Amino acid sequence: MSTDKKIESSQASEQALEHRKFRDDEFWKELPGWASVPHDEFADHKWQNKNAIRKVEQVEKVLGSRVSKETMDDIYAGQKITPMNIRITPYIFALINWDDPLNDPLRKQFLPMGSQFLPDHPYYREDSLSEDVDSPVPMLTHRYPDKVLFLPTTICPVYCSYCTRSRIIGGSTESVEKSSYGASQKKWDDVFEYLKMNPEIEDVVISGGDSFMLTAKQIKYIGENLLMIPNIRRIRYATKGIAIFPMKILTDDDWVQAISEVHKLGRSMNKQVVIHTHFSSPKEITTWSQKAMDRLYSEGIIVRNQAVLQEGVNNTVEDMVLLTRQVSYMNVQPYYVYMHDMVPGCEHFRTTLKEGVELEKAVRGITAGFHTPTFVCDLPGGGGKRHVASYEYYDQENGISVWTAPYVKPGQHFTYFDPIHKLSPEAQKRWSDKGTVETMIKEAVKKAGY
Ligand SMILES: *Cc1c(COP(=O)(O)O)cnc(C)c1O
Ligand code: SF4
């Protein structure tokens, strides 16, 4: 019996090896609009950019008769409600299962449908994490003593329906006015100045927006300037790109070279330069992802993954285990899984805290500890990230958890709320009365010792 045969004969091991299968069929050819796009063209980042879906009319054009009129109407209706514009790479668009778009995890993330929306939670906030409050200079959030969040741009290669910064990212929509900005070197220089003046800062997260939208020159400008600041020891470029647009890593040599040069410069100065990416669902992963990671790994660049826990995207043990194993297999280190932020237009995505705690238990032990993500809740109001099971008190019946952040905001307490539609009918009724809600929260806070 060959080794392959032996593996096939055991169902248990088959499941354990699921994560080594990488999709490599010509999936885009199933869509009428792209049926004749050759492999080389689809594999080119320029083609992907040029053909990105940016309007519902394009959705209709590419899909043709592939979806029903009801589905298209539902997609049009979504555009009236969502706080985010559409932008989807052909790669992701073609990976959507168009036989069942309503339940597809990729469609859910990037192409809202009107029928899925639920009313916002009464305690949602536009700036749920209070990033604007903790911002000493434009484009910078300084919440933790030694690390900062730098947002050099507000544009991305895809727009996620659930973006936590939907208040600024990706331009105005029918339902939201935004003051988005492109790359602006002058403002970046002010950020570098602030970092120099605050020598306790050692760590910079370059997020946004998305680093994929910075040119090779801008990647270098930002990287080199940050590395030259004596107190800066670690920088991370954050991009969803590897997950939703691996072709750029494979064919945009200037961009990869820019990152690689910054990485090498960092190494020569004994400083860390890494990439943080954002795979949410195993359905996003193909042979292209693996090849993109092979290229970055061969350059010596460490990549870590931050996922958001989402209903119907990754909130089953099966999907979370597969996601963890599959990104690990490609040399991406699972770093965080976030509880969903309490931002507008996202109730249908959110899960209960209990689901987060249960998934954390299920995932721990499946693989190397250093490839096991930490499940965190980024506390509304600016308490920062906390381990999901480290709440002070959790009223599961009413979906109210109470937290502290002793180092980041000493003496304060914070609350996080489960989505109301997931609570018992009795609890949902309690949430419909403002006075009852206030009493429930007060009681929870008191039980937590505050
Ligand atoms: C998440 C975050 C960071 C980085 O935190 P890590 O836990 O080190 O990944 C820094 N600043 C802000 C404001 C953040 O939200
Ligand atoms: S890539 Fe990040 S910043 Fe851009 S829309 Fe998605 S979540 Fe928001």
Side-chain angles (χ1 to χ4, degrees):
M1 214 155 52
S2 75
T3 321
D4 281 348
K5 281 267 158 55
K6 268 186 220 149
I7 289 166
E8 270 170 28
S9 67
S10 152
Q11 227 191 346
S13 42
E14 175 122 14
Q15 205 181 14
L17 299 181
E18 179 69 19
H19 65 282
R20 296 188 193 169
K21 291 185 198 144
F22 289 84
R23 188 169 182 180
D24 69 350
D25 57 321
E26 299 194 323
F27 50 89
W28 65 94
K29 294 195 170 172
E30 284 173 29
L31 301 185
W34 294 334
S36 57
V37 176
H39 187 280
D40 286 358
E41 230 166 73
F42 197 78
D44 182 31
H45 75 279
K46 289 197 207 94
W47 188 91
Q48 288 280 328
N49 255 332
K50 213 167 82 198
N51 291 280
I53 304 280
R54 309 191 67 163
K55 288 210 163 56
V56 184
E57 290 74 18
Q58 279 168 282
V59 173
E60 205 162 8
K61 211 166 135 199
V62 175
L63 293 179
S65 55
R66 189 74 172 73
V67 289
S68 66
K69 178 164 182 316
E70 287 73 44
T71 299
M72 273 319 303
D73 287 349
D74 208 352
I75 292 171
Y76 274 104
Q79 286 308 296
K80 298 228 178 300
I81 310 172
T82 176
M84 295 299 290
N85 273 307
I86 305 184
R87 191 181 169 115
I88 314 173
T89 51
Y91 172 73
I92 285 292
F93 190 81
L95 282 171
I96 292 172
N97 173 12
W98 289 106
D99 289 330
D100 185 15
L102 196 64
N103 295 308
D104 184 87
L106 306 188
R107 197 286 305 155
K108 278 188 183 171
Q109 292 179 73
F110 306 110
L111 187 62
M113 289 168 89
S115 62
Q116 74 192 13
F117 284 95
L118 295 168
D120 285 327
H121 191 278
Y123 288 94
Y124 89 91
R125 307 181 203 197
E126 305 282 341
D127 179 17
S128 174
L129 306 179
S130 299
E131 289 177 345
D132 302 342
V133 179
D134 284 336
S135 177
V137 281
M139 303 187 175
L140 194 77
T141 298
H142 186 189
R143 165 167 310 141
Y144 303 93
D146 74 341
K147 57 188 178 185
V148 294
L149 178 63
F150 173 28
L151 310 177
T153 175
T154 57
I155 51 174
C156 309
V158 288
Y159 290 125
C160 314
S161 312
Y162 55 89
C163 182
T164 200
R165 300 191 189 106
S166 64
R167 68 190 186 282
I168 47 172
I169 301 294
S172 301
T173 65
E174 287 189 42
S175 64
V176 190
E177 279 288 329
K178 302 182 197 183
S179 46
S180 299
Y181 48 83
S184 154
Q185 200 157 309
K186 165 71 189 69
K187 290 209 179 116
W188 300 348
D189 292 344
D190 295 343
V191 168
F192 304 145
E193 211 42 50
Y194 177 86
L195 297 178
K196 268 180 226 160
M197 304 299 290
N198 288 273
E200 73 278 18
I201 300 168
E202 296 181 352
D203 190 319
V204 183
V205 182
I206 306 158
S207 186
D210 192 297
S211 298
F212 251 41
M213 302 309 272
L214 298 169
T215 61
K217 236 170 142 177
Q218 292 168 336
I219 289 281
K220 283 189 74 176
Y221 183 81
I222 291 175
E224 285 166 2
N225 272 285
L226 290 175
L227 288 173
M228 290 309 160
I229 300 170
N231 45 295
I232 300 302
R233 302 286 302 163
R234 299 176 291 277
I235 67 177
R236 344 174 185 169
Y237 289 96
T239 174
K240 202 164 163 63
I242 305 168
I244 50 83
F245 190 8
M247 289 82 177
K248 186 169 166 98
I249 302 289
L250 291 165
T251 60
D252 188 347
D253 293 339
D254 289 348
W255 195 89
V256 173
Q257 201 185 334
I259 287 265
S260 187
E261 280 172 20
V262 176
H263 171 255
K264 284 202 188 88
L265 176 66
R267 184 151 287 212
S268 75
M269 302 167 84
N270 297 310
K271 297 185 176 193
Q272 259 187 48
V273 177
V274 306
I275 295 179
H276 278 205
T277 196
H278 182 177
F279 285 96
S280 280
S281 155
K283 297 243 158 36
E284 290 153 26
I285 300 170
T286 65
T287 307
W288 267 301
S289 333
Q290 191 179 26
K291 284 191 189 141
M293 274 312 303
D294 286 350
R295 179 165 191 191
L296 292 172
Y297 197 70
S298 73
E299 295 282 338
I301 301 173
I302 296 296
V303 179
R304 305 191 187 109
N305 194 56
Q306 309 190 179
V308 184
L309 179 58
Q310 290 178 324
E311 170 77 31
V313 173
N314 54 19
N315 68 332
T316 64
V317 171
E318 202 184 19
D319 280 344
M320 196 52 89
V321 167
L322 182 58
L323 177 68
T324 306
R325 285 203 172 121
Q326 201 158 25
V327 298
S328 297
Y329 197 74
M330 299 188 288
N331 290 314
V332 176
Q333 301 174 351
Y335 175 41
Y336 280 147
V337 176
Y338 288 92
M339 291 303 300
H340 209 296
D341 289 331
M342 296 187 62
V343 285
C346 288
E347 272 318 88
H348 59 289
F349 275 126
R350 297 206 305 123
T351 64
T352 61
L353 179 64
K354 184 168 195 296
E355 288 180 81
V357 174
E358 291 302 321
L359 281 168
E360 137 78 35
K361 283 195 228 169
V363 167
R364 191 155 297 277
I366 61 154
T367 188
F370 52 82
H371 275 179
T372 305
T374 303
F375 284 64
V376 293
C377 180
D378 211 340
L379 297 179
K385 301 169 185 69
R386 310 297 301 179
H387 187 281
V388 283
S390 70
Y391 48 79
E392 303 297 320
Y393 178 73
Y394 181 19
D395 172 359
Q396 274 186 33
E397 165 65 15
N398 294 309
I400 303 169
S401 49
V402 184
W403 308 74
T404 54
Y407 199 86
V408 176
K409 299 275 158 75
Q412 287 189 37
H413 67 267
F414 299 83
T415 42
Y416 181 83
F417 303 102
D418 294 342
I420 293 171
H421 69 103
K422 288 210 171 195
L423 304 176
S424 71
E426 299 76 36
Q428 292 192 29
K429 213 157 130 212
R430 278 174 232 131
W431 270 95
S432 66
D433 179 70
K434 205 159 174 254
T436 312
V437 170
E438 278 165 15
T439 311
M440 288 191 306
I441 296 175
K442 263 193 210 125
E443 267 168 26
V445 168
K446 208 163 124 199
K447 286 206 174 117
Y450 277 81

